[in-house]
Amino acid sequence: MTLPVVGHWINGNEFESKSGRIADVYDPALGEVTKHVALANQDETKLAIESAAAAWPAWRDLSQARRQEIIFRFRELLNERKPELAEIVTSEHGKVLSDALGEIARGQEVVEFACGMPHLLKGFYTENASTGVDVYSTRQALGVVGVISPFNFPAMVPMWFFPIAIAAGNCVVLKPSEKDPSAAIWMAKLWKQAGLPDGVFTVLNGDKEAVDGLLTHPEIQAISFVGSTPIAQYVYETGSKHGKRVQALGGAKNHMLVLPDADLDLVADSAINAGFGSAGERCMAISVVVAVEPVADRLIPKIVERMSKLRTGDGRRGCDMGPLVTKAHRDKVASYIDVAAADGAEVLVDGRTQEFDGDSKGFWLGPTLLDRVPVTSKVYTEEIFGPVLSIVRVDSYDDGVNLINSGAFGNGTAIFTNDGGAARRFQNEIQVGMVGINVPIPVPVAYYSFGGWKNSLFGDTKAHGVEGVHFFTRGKAITSRWLDPSHGGINLGFPQN
Ligand code: NAD
């Protein structure tokens, strides 16, 4: 049987790739290749960027009112039709349907934020900064910008960026993950239905070749990347070297610090939700519980009891947790369980031995719990990106904070306590970009900005919120004087009145 090939979306239309290169796209719950995705070559990458560049002047010059009409219409269509998009996400990523809907809802929040763009683009105006001289500021679109996204949020992560970029007057070329490319094409069609002019939103499917094309093409002004740390670093360095503005969000290893006075039922619920939601394939997943002694022995039975009730299976069957994205990734994640045992950790719950509700060929791995994980083990030091939750025991709050601060990543973290003073110290002392206080996954709402510290973000501007608006615009300050008879004559110094 010939499988469909997901192509590109160029100049407002589906574009059948002629590159001759494709990759497999799986339904992870079935363990089957259900379609292929085209991998763009250099000519297709160039064509995509140049058609976006051709669309830019008219889009930039369209009135804010007309642009906003289109963004609002996109929001309405997305809101009405999001169950369709959720099904696509589940069929290629594997996450359960309710979670797919959740990621779309978080993306939609950014679209709603972008609906306020005219207000966000307003500048300042100072009359008579010097006698007869006015100074004012404005923010202007950059041109064509590239967005390169990871497999784990095929709808939400692109929506962290493109609604803001487009509403601010840019054209966007989105390079989705080749593992789940269909959500991007679906969103492109929605834009067309919303009335977006052709070329303003482009989808270029591909791999390193397409990414390198975006990083080096002179028409690309800025790159928003989200993915693993080594690739984020590469994208940041290469894009910057080619004169582009780059924000590159990388990997993570998120800790939850549990103080002995915490509400342990809340902690256990939170550890389960944040450790195993989306099968741990979230950059804000909690992968390490740092338990300040003597809390671990009281907490662990509560976590284990909740784990025993979780149903792993096909995301379309109302299960709690779906499969991993590919067999290779499933096997890599599972291999950490043997490493943990060899390094002296206790395997309290082994996800390899559990039942699942789905096709036997699916990429299954049940929730796994490891205790007394040595911090020298690569189970602790590396990002696993799967349903493996580690417990590390420490003797004090200070030991916990020092451990978290010594890590290479700084994406998210949380403290669980009923002590307001400890929580205040934590928010001040912790070297992490997003902090939860009795909240396990502190993803900021759309009008704040998302991004970590250290190896979790290269570049100094975060996603969405005001930082997102700044990233996709350039500020300009204008000093103006309309000549009148008292223009003041020649003066080589700076004006002083
Ligand atoms: P990945 O780094 O493999 O891929 C991300 C993007 O880079 C994809 O579009 C891919 O096609 C492209 N890419 C892959 N290899 C490349 C190469 N050699 N050269 C150029 N481009 C390349 O990441 P992934 O596996 O899709 O996603 C999971 C990772 O993303 C995890 O590390 C996770 O923590 C991270 N992530 C981070 C955030 C965040 O906000 N910090 C959010 C989501 C995911």
Side-chain angles (χ1 to χ4, degrees), residues 402-456:
N402 289 338
L403 179 69
I404 298 170
N405 283 349
S406 63
F409 301 103
N411 215 38
T413 189
I415 186 170
F416 280 74
T417 180
N418 280 317
D419 179 342
R424 255 192 113 240
R425 263 188 74 188
F426 184 77
Q427 76 179 42
N428 180 256
E429 294 171 349
I430 209 71
Q431 305 288 308
V432 173
M434 293 171 282
V435 178
I437 296 174
N438 296 316
V439 172
I441 304 195
V443 173
V445 287
Y447 42 94
Y448 283 80
S449 297
F450 181 107
W453 289 11
K454 302 200 255 184
N455 285 353
S456 297

Side-chain angles (χ1 to χ4, degrees), residues 48-49 52-53 56 141-148 161-162 164-166 169-175 199-202 214 219-224 244-245 247 471-474:
I49 296 169
W56 185 52
L142 304 177
V144 184
V145 301
V147 175
I148 301 161
F161 306 104
F162 72 64
I164 295 177
I166 288 176
N170 300 281
C171 292
V172 172
V173 178
L174 167 63
K175 206 300 285 168
V200 177
F201 184 69
T202 298
L214 288 168
E219 283 288 357
I220 296 285
Q221 305 299 316
I223 294 280
S224 299
K244 293 160 201 342
R245 188 179 282 201
Q247 52 180 185
F471 185 77
F472 289 120
T473 53
R474 279 190 188 100

Side-chain angles (χ1 to χ4, degrees), residues 29 55 96 100 111 113 182 212 214 260 274 292 326 411 424 438 474 477 482:
V96 300
V111 182
F113 173 73
S182 299
D212 285 342
L214 288 168
V292 176
T326 57
N411 215 38
R424 255 192 113 240
N438 296 316
R474 279 190 188 100
W482 292 96

Side-chain angles (χ1 to χ4, degrees), residues 149-152 175 178 208 225-228 250-251 283 383 385 450:
S149 56
F151 81 82
N152 66 320
K175 206 300 285 168
E178 57 275 47
K208 180 172 167 47
F225 171 90
V226 181
S228 57
C283 64
E383 180 180 39
F385 221 56
F450 181 107

Side-chain angles (χ1 to χ4, degrees), residues 18 113 129 131 155 172-173 192 234 259 280 312-313 355 370 385 401 425 427 467 489 492:
K18 305 273 183 300
F113 173 73
T131 308
V172 172
V173 178
K192 180 139 183 151
Y234 166 76
L259 302 194
T312 301
E355 309 253 295
L370 310 171
F385 221 56
V401 168
R425 263 188 74 188
Q427 76 179 42
E467 293 195 38
L492 300 192

Side-chain angles (χ1 to χ4, degrees), residues 56 76 87 234-235 292 337 374 394 421 448 494:
W56 185 52
E76 288 306 289
E87 273 179 35
Y234 166 76
V235 164
V292 176
I337 304 173
V394 293
Y448 283 80
F494 283 123

Side-chain angles (χ1 to χ4, degrees), residues 27-108:
D27 184 322
L30 303 178
E32 268 175 14
V33 178
T34 52
K35 46 186 98 93
H36 293 122
V37 58
L39 302 175
N41 58 19
Q42 287 177 25
D43 287 345
E44 288 170 357
T45 305
K46 226 166 138 250
L47 180 74
I49 296 169
E50 285 167 11
S51 85
W56 185 52
W59 180 243
R60 174 196 61 198
D61 293 341
L62 199 65
S63 73
Q64 303 241 11
R66 271 290 295 137
R67 287 212 299 251
Q68 286 322 105
E69 248 179 74
I70 295 167
I71 313 291
F72 268 91
R73 219 174 295 136
F74 180 82
R75 187 266 169 206
E76 288 306 289
L77 289 167
L78 180 67
N79 194 42
E80 273 164 32
R81 293 182 46 193
K82 59 189 162 195
E84 283 170 44
L85 181 56
E87 273 179 35
I88 292 170
V89 169
T90 295
S91 72
E92 293 183 0
H93 175 282
K95 65 179 70 178
V96 300
L97 269 175
S98 57
D99 193 35
L101 271 172
E103 85 156 272
I104 298 163
R106 297 308 304 262
Q108 185 176 319

